[in-house]
Amino acid sequence: MANISTNEFKGGVKIMLDGEPCNILENEYVKPGKGQAFNRVKLKKLISGKTLEKTFKSGESFEAADVMDMELSYLYTDGEFWHFMNNESFEQIAADDKAVGDSVKWLVENDSCTITLWNGTPIVVTPPNFVELEITETDPGLKGDTAGTGGKPATLTTGAVVRVPLFVQTGEVVKVDTRSGEYASRAQK
Amino acid sequence: MKHEPRPCWQPTADVATLKQRAAIIANIRQFFAERDVWEVETPSLSNATVSDFHMRVFDTQFADPMSPQQRTLYLQTSPEYAMKRLLCAGSGAIFQLAKAFRNEEAGKHHNPEFTMLEWYRPGFDHNQLMDELDELMQSVVGCLPAQRMSYQDAFIKYLDIDPLSASLAVLKAKGCELGYEHICRDEQDKDTILQLLFSHEVEPNLANRCPCFIFDFPASQAALARISLQDERVAERFELYYEGLELANGFHELANAPEQRQRFERDNQQRKSAGLSTVPIDEFFLDALDAGLPDCSGVAVGVDRLVMLALGKSDIRHVLAFNYQNA
């Protein structure tokens, strides 16, 4: 892969740091009037998801990370791998539990997910911002309740547990924001 | 990544800010007029340039109508050499407001072309010049009186380490401990680690309520300052900091021509070993020192940063009519 110098660091550029692909978030130039120039860089480690700040000497270069994002449809899991398909080429890719991580509770068949590949292997699975899932279990709510009283826990088909308003019942489909894990609305029929 | 507006024809600073900037610059001129320091103008283009290892210089080709050969001319990074030649020629106290140019420098506190205020005071040592800069800051920016701390005390206070006696191994260990193992584990140059620790770990603690002078920098970072007669480990150099900005750099000026030549040659040696091109030594400047520079101190102040402070702006482009991206 090509080398990337600190002067090419900008949002979205991917480099290898300590053996792990990282995404550059911010890059600030720091230079004393007399002396060495530095770049103070905010980056996100793609595998662990950790955000960190690192300082480099200006002009230092790093190996580019062979990282790309693909939009793929979720098909099914065989218990060990989660299978996704490219809707245009019908090519299938399998992600392991490390790549799927916490996203497992938001995977809905046929939903389009972002799969981040490093050297061709899936390392991160990002679900859509909103998913619709059916409630499999929740306590019957009190009559006359409107939204905003704190709600009650509801278990969804994937096993995810979200807080829903008291009027929402078992068997209904709800829309959930996967970034916050919060109930958004009842699904449109 | 923070959203940056796309460059367009409009000024990067608003017109009201530019008018306030003009008033600040008028106040600076008034400040020196009251003190009988006269304004000079020296060239932006010169035949020789600065040797500082960390400075990248713009150059251009002069097509001389009286010569078949093109000649390289350099855009000045500060008017220092030319102003000292005037001092050697008997100018007395002088100041200049000039454009300075530094390649490879751009950011929220840097523009590759910027305005520098530089002045020289024959008969002043660096302490007296700090006093005068302090007065300028109070009268032009409206700051409280500045604090003063030596470079050594600042390191001891904030990092519990003596920058003048610490070994390379100790500095490396400190750098690694503070999360800079990436730079420090293989670094062989003490000054690089000192500059890293100073800019990232000491400076953010300084000068949040009033400006702060840091003085007596390590002799290895003397630039064009004299080495102290009391302690040869330090140079009579100071910097001024306020609200996260480095505002000024001043020296009790080195007047010894052979020592100055040695420093230039050492810089070129350092350039060579790092694979950089060497720079021509400014022989006019050395000849002038040889003829005699009066005992004096001088300081350079970043005017754009001064205006940022006075007007509460956080990005240099908001005090420039046009920053480098839409110049």
Side-chain angles (χ1 to χ4, degrees), chain B residues 24-324:
Chain B
I24 290 168
I25 287 175
N27 287 340
I28 292 173
R29 289 204 158 92
Q30 182 63 29
F31 180 90
F32 289 109
E34 284 163 8
R35 287 164 174 76
D36 283 328
V37 180
W38 61 286
E39 182 168 5
V40 298
E41 288 178 282
T42 59
S44 294
L45 285 171
S46 60
N47 290 293
T49 184
V50 66
S51 57
D52 186 321
F53 178 68
H54 295 292
M55 204 78 85
R56 300 291 169 268
V57 182
F58 286 100
D59 57 35
T60 188
Q61 294 304 308
F62 173 50
D64 188 338
M66 306 304 279
S67 156
Q69 230 126 52
Q70 290 216 336
R71 198 143 54 118
T72 301
L73 293 178
Y74 301 91
L75 278 163
Q76 63 145 339
T77 58
S78 111
E80 180 160 11
Y81 300 170
M83 289 181 80
K84 284 183 184 167
R85 282 163 66 187
L86 289 176
L87 288 154
C88 295
S91 66
I94 48 175
F95 82 96
Q96 178 161 210
L97 281 157
K99 279 292 175 72
F101 306 84
R102 294 182 183 180
N103 211 341
E104 296 182 20
E105 298 193 8
K108 66 180 186 186
H109 298 160
H110 297 83
N111 195 64
E113 170 184 350
F114 61 101
T115 302
M116 189 175 254
L117 162 65
E118 186 151 324
W119 81 93
Y120 290 87
R121 281 293 209 166
F124 277 32
D125 67 12
H126 56 302
N127 290 306
Q128 289 164 291
L129 194 60
M130 279 191 264
D131 291 341
E132 189 163 60
L133 174 54
D134 196 3
E135 286 167 35
L136 177 93
M137 293 295 294
Q138 291 176 51
S139 89
V140 173
V141 185
C143 300
L144 292 167
Q147 294 178 320
R148 289 183 198 193
M149 202 187 301
S150 75
Y151 187 88
Q152 184 182 33
D153 287 344
F155 263 86
I156 291 171
K157 179 166 178 188
Y158 296 112
L159 295 179
D160 198 22
I161 199 167
D162 181 350
L164 303 179
S165 63
S167 65
L168 178 65
V170 167
L171 292 173
K172 281 167 80 156
K174 191 75 187 177
C176 291
E177 174 197 322
L178 291 168
Y180 304 102
E181 66 290 329
H182 174 76
I183 290 175
C184 296
R185 87 194 140 205
D186 300 322
E187 185 57 57
Q188 292 306 309
D189 180 34
K190 265 168 88 161
D191 285 311
T192 298
I193 302 179
L194 287 174
Q195 284 153 1
L196 171 74
L197 294 177
F198 190 83
S199 59
H200 286 68
E201 297 292 330
V202 176
E203 215 186 299
N205 297 301
L206 299 173
N208 294 315
R209 262 184 310 238
C210 62
C212 181
F213 284 104
I214 296 291
F215 59 92
D216 286 356
F217 276 68
S220 52
Q221 297 176 34
L224 275 70
R226 347 185 132 185
I227 302 302
S228 165
L229 293 175
Q230 286 82 46
D231 182 351
E232 61 177 21
R233 298 175 304 167
V234 301
E236 292 182 344
R237 174 183 155 204
F238 65 85
E239 295 240 10
L240 179 64
Y241 300 91
Y242 191 32
E243 290 180 2
L245 286 169
E246 179 194 332
L247 288 164
N249 175 59
F251 305 140
H252 190 187
E253 302 292 348
L254 175 66
N256 181 315
E259 189 178 341
Q260 183 64 68
R261 183 181 289 281
Q262 265 178 16
R263 291 191 195 179
F264 283 158
E265 284 167 354
R266 200 168 56 208
D267 284 348
N268 265 337
Q269 203 49 52
Q270 196 186 359
R271 286 174 164 270
K272 223 184 246 171
S273 34
L276 293 174
S277 57
T278 58
V279 299
I281 284 175
D282 192 332
E283 294 294 343
F284 290 138
F285 172 51
L286 288 175
D287 286 349
L289 289 188
D290 213 25
L293 177 71
D295 184 6
C296 68
S297 289
V299 63
V301 179
V303 173
D304 310 291
R305 293 183 184 174
L306 204 74
V307 176
M308 284 170 69
L309 263 185
L311 304 181
K313 305 287 182 187
S314 59
D315 192 308
I316 194 166
R317 70 174 169 220
H318 295 139
V319 299
L320 299 173
F322 304 102
N323 84 335
Y324 73 102

Side-chain angles (χ1 to χ4, degrees), chain A residues 9-11 17-18 25-38 40 54-57 60 62, chain B residues 1-2 52 54-55 102 104-106 108 110 180-183 187 192 195-196 199-200 223 237 246 249 251:
Chain A
F9 284 12
K10 56 177 185 234
L17 185 69
D18 303 326
L25 301 174
E26 282 174 33
N27 180 13
E28 189 188 353
Y29 177 77
V30 182
K31 164 104 171 63
K34 307 264 173 224
Q36 175 70 45
F38 300 100
R40 193 151 39 195
K54 278 263 178 189
T55 297
F56 304 111
K57 280 159 89 167
E60 205 180 331
F62 295 83
Chain B
M1 208 69 177
K2 272 175 227 123
D52 186 321
H54 295 292
M55 204 78 85
R102 294 182 183 180
E104 296 182 20
E105 298 193 8
K108 66 180 186 186
H110 297 83
Y180 304 102
E181 66 290 329
H182 174 76
I183 290 175
E187 185 57 57
T192 298
Q195 284 153 1
L196 171 74
S199 59
H200 286 68
R237 174 183 155 204
E246 179 194 332
N249 175 59
F251 305 140

Side-chain angles (χ1 to χ4, degrees), chain A residues 46-67:
Chain A
L46 288 173
I47 294 175
S48 63
K50 273 189 200 136
T51 299
L52 68 161
E53 261 198 11
K54 278 263 178 189
T55 297
F56 304 111
K57 280 159 89 167
S58 295
E60 205 180 331
S61 58
F62 295 83
E63 193 191 334
D66 180 9
V67 170

Side-chain angles (χ1 to χ4, degrees), chain A residues 116-133:
Chain A
T116 305
L117 301 172
W118 173 39
N119 297 330
T121 306
I123 51 168
V124 181
V125 171
T126 312
N129 291 344
F130 293 96
V131 294
E132 294 186 351
L133 287 164

